[in-house]
Amino acid sequence: QIDGCQDDAGRLSQARLALGACGPTVFLVPGMADVLAGQAWNEETRAAAMALARDSAQPIDDVRASADYRRDMAGVLAARCLAQAIDRANNRELP
């Protein structure tokens, strides 16, 4: 969930992220709101969001993919999802 940007600097007023298929149940990524609130979406906050999602994921290890790969992908997909949600909150066209 992303609340629209509040100022000309593009700072986020509120942001939360839930992950599914990254643990026993769907969960809100702990601390994500604190990491993103009041920040502009840039390379630094993107990297912090990716790391937090990756570190929070507790995926299984099976024949289809390793737990390490799934953790990395949780970070990548979290960053993509947040970027898309921010674009939507700002009423920008998506590619």
Side-chain angles (χ1 to χ4, degrees):
Q1 172 190 340
I2 300 288
D3 194 8
C5 296
Q6 297 298 307
D7 59 21
D8 292 337
R11 289 187 207 105
L12 300 168
S13 61
Q14 187 178 39
R16 299 186 300 174
L17 178 71
L19 294 178
C22 290
T25 61
V26 174
F27 63 95
L28 282 175
V29 175
M32 186 65 76
D34 297 332
V35 167
L36 296 179
Q39 301 298 315
W41 183 250
N42 55 35
E43 200 54 40
E44 183 179 321
T45 52
R46 180 181 172 277
M50 286 178 71
L52 193 54
R54 183 184 60 241
D55 294 345
S56 299
Q58 299 174 357
I60 62 170
D61 202 12
D62 66 16
V63 297
R64 291 178 292 246
S66 70
D68 288 340
Y69 174 80
R70 291 172 194 231
R71 258 189 296 281
D72 287 344
M73 289 302 101
V76 169
L77 294 174
R80 289 180 187 174
C81 177
L82 288 166
Q84 201 171 58
I86 291 165
D87 282 345
R88 286 183 178 155
N90 291 324
N91 296 316
R92 290 189 214 135
E93 288 294 316
L94 299 174

